[in-house]
Amino acid sequence: QILVGGLQGSGWGIDDLGVTGLQTNGACSTVPATPCSISGVAPQSGAQGSNVSVTVSGAHFATGSNVVFSQDGHADDGVSEGTATVNGAGTQATLSIAIAGDAPEGPRDVTVLAPGGGFCVARSAFTVTRAGSSGGSRRIPCDDPSISRKGGWHAIADTRSGFGQYCRNVGANKGNSAAFLEVPIQTANGGTVSIVHARGPRGGDATATTGSDSRTIDFFRPAADPTHPDNSGRDDVTFGYSETFTVPPGGGTLRLDARNASADPQRDMDFVEGFIFTEAQSPSAAGRYQETATTSTGTIAPGASVTRTQNVTTGTVLLTVLADALAGQDLALRVVNPLGVALPAPDDAITPDTAQVLTVVPGRYTFIVTNKGTTAAPYALIVVPTVDLARVPSVGTGTATVGVTTP
């Protein structure tokens, strides 16, 4: 059995090849070791220039494992780790860390490294904060009311994310800034704000800007198994990547514009989990544009259709509809406005099928999803009204009804 492992910046080299478990001639074991997993890190933050006792919780931690803190894949991140102690059950690793006075503020990945080379990672699980802050940090999810959301963002529950969910935006070549998130930040002394996001083979890109600092956020990584690609964009996703921005005294605004400008039409999804603040704090006032998705699920027989209706209120400035084939079948989506006019909805084999109503007429809309395949199709129909709070004193999505038609 030959084990090869390593973490960029940790100083591993070719001499870290090890041969273990020699067996009789001709015998070979193909049983892999049980991989470890991390469920939590406590505390979640520590200030520059401090020493912190940290407990990493999880499962299958091997005796003699080390714990490494890193930033952007580099272990030379201003955090020095002491020797870790693993309990007998392999469910906790404890250690002391020393945070340098000039350590960069922002999230750190926490990795448990087994003596045999196996490892598990919790990305953005610990945050370094400014000296004198007593290690304080703040986390808000992607759908926090203080965030202004426009362009069809919808939250998807997922326990793999440290926030328990992520907000997805779907659509290729969004070069007109019609899909964005705006995070207003108030801070007296300045600080940092970090975008925490996921990556997968359906990942596109976005532009994140605060002040004069503008960067590209990449949501793409290659498929884990190219021979069995995850066309849904939900399963083959890795969470916890982060990008940290400095906020000047007095605060500012962090804006993220979905672009998805790749020549590959299937790199059309943005995955934002949430935001981590150090001294910068987001105000509690609601953002101007708010999106609350309504999701209905079920299974459509081959050749059959499902019809759903929803009332759209005054103050809605954009309506985004997605028909998501959860098992990869080919669906077709039709949207009919309150005047009985069918609106354009591109029909292709790439899931989800999406439509956007740019000129919204208040009233009851009809959504028709058809299974074009030869097998039953589990689906999710996601309706996302974008409401401008400056145009309406109160917001409601109305009631919904669902009907089924057979071929």
Side-chain angles (χ1 to χ4, degrees), residues 3-406:
L3 303 174
V4 182
L7 180 71
Q8 182 180 354
S10 64
W12 287 35
I14 193 66
D15 59 330
D16 293 301
L17 265 175
V19 179
T20 64
L22 292 176
Q23 301 182 22
T24 58
N25 291 335
C28 179
S29 173
T30 59
V31 179
T34 303
C36 64
S37 61
I38 299 174
S39 58
V41 177
Q44 291 185 319
S45 63
Q48 295 166 328
S50 67
N51 296 317
V52 183
S53 178
V54 177
T55 299
V56 182
S57 300
H60 307 297
F61 296 158
T63 301
S65 292
N66 293 320
V67 176
V68 175
F69 286 64
S70 61
Q71 187 177 41
D72 299 326
H74 298 277
D76 52 345
D77 62 337
V79 177
S80 299
E81 305 88 358
T83 302
T85 300
V86 177
N87 67 358
T91 57
Q92 284 190 339
T94 57
L95 73 157
S96 293
I97 62 172
I99 304 174
D102 59 353
E105 293 182 56
R108 298 295 192 274
D109 300 339
V110 179
T111 302
V112 176
L113 296 166
F119 64 93
C120 49
V121 184
R123 292 182 174 84
S124 300
F126 186 88
T127 302
V128 173
T129 61
R130 182 175 299 180
S133 66
S134 300
S137 65
R138 180 170 179 249
R139 301 162 64 95
I140 62 172
C142 55
D143 59 351
D144 187 87
S146 68
I147 301 172
S148 192
R149 303 181 302 281
K150 187 177 182 182
W153 297 91
H154 49 284
I156 298 176
D158 198 312
T159 57
R160 293 175 297 175
S161 167
F163 292 82
Q165 64 175 29
Y166 63 98
C167 291
R168 184 178 67 165
N169 195 278
V170 181
N173 298 313
K174 294 191 173 186
N176 58 0
S177 297
F180 63 83
L181 300 175
E182 279 189 342
V183 184
I185 308 159
Q186 60 181 11
T187 171
N189 301 315
T192 67
V193 58
S194 300
I195 303 171
V196 182
H197 60 93
R199 290 177 179 165
R202 289 290 299 270
D205 63 279
T207 301
T209 305
T210 180
S212 60
D213 187 358
S214 182
R215 309 178 204 169
T216 296
I217 307 297
D218 190 0
F219 302 99
F220 174 79
R221 68 152 172 77
D225 182 2
T227 61
H228 299 88
D230 169 33
N231 293 323
S232 73
R234 290 173 177 255
D235 301 326
D236 186 10
V237 180
T238 304
F239 295 88
Y241 296 94
S242 64
E243 190 79 18
T244 300
F245 294 79
T246 299
V247 179
T253 299
L254 173 65
R255 177 173 170 126
L256 185 140
D257 289 284
R259 301 297 188 197
N260 300 339
S262 172
D264 182 350
Q266 292 204 41
R267 289 179 56 178
D268 60 349
M269 295 186 181
D270 297 349
F271 316 103
V272 177
E273 299 176 64
F275 301 86
I276 299 177
F277 302 90
T278 52
E279 282 59 55
Q281 296 293 307
S282 179
S284 58
R288 174 174 174 176
Y289 295 102
Q290 294 291 305
E291 294 185 325
T292 302
T294 302
T295 302
S296 58
T297 60
T299 301
I300 310 174
S305 298
V306 169
T307 300
R308 183 179 183 277
T309 65
Q310 180 166 316
N311 188 52
V312 176
T313 63
T314 300
T316 302
V317 295
L318 180 69
L319 185 66
T320 305
V321 187
L322 302 94
D324 209 346
L326 302 181
Q329 288 90 346
D330 188 8
L331 303 180
L333 172 65
R334 289 184 61 213
V335 178
V336 181
N337 75 6
L339 304 178
V341 177
L343 304 174
D347 182 18
D348 55 48
I350 301 174
T351 187
D353 287 80
T354 61
Q356 280 196 322
V357 182
L358 302 178
T359 303
V360 179
V361 178
R364 187 165 291 276
Y365 282 73
T366 301
F367 314 107
I368 304 163
V369 183
T370 301
N371 179 6
K372 298 169 63 179
T374 58
T375 59
Y379 78 98
L381 178 65
I382 305 169
V383 181
V384 190
T386 305
V387 176
D388 183 353
L389 296 186
R391 299 190 183 188
V392 61
S394 59
V395 180
T397 58
T399 58
T401 58
V402 178
V404 177
T405 59
T406 56

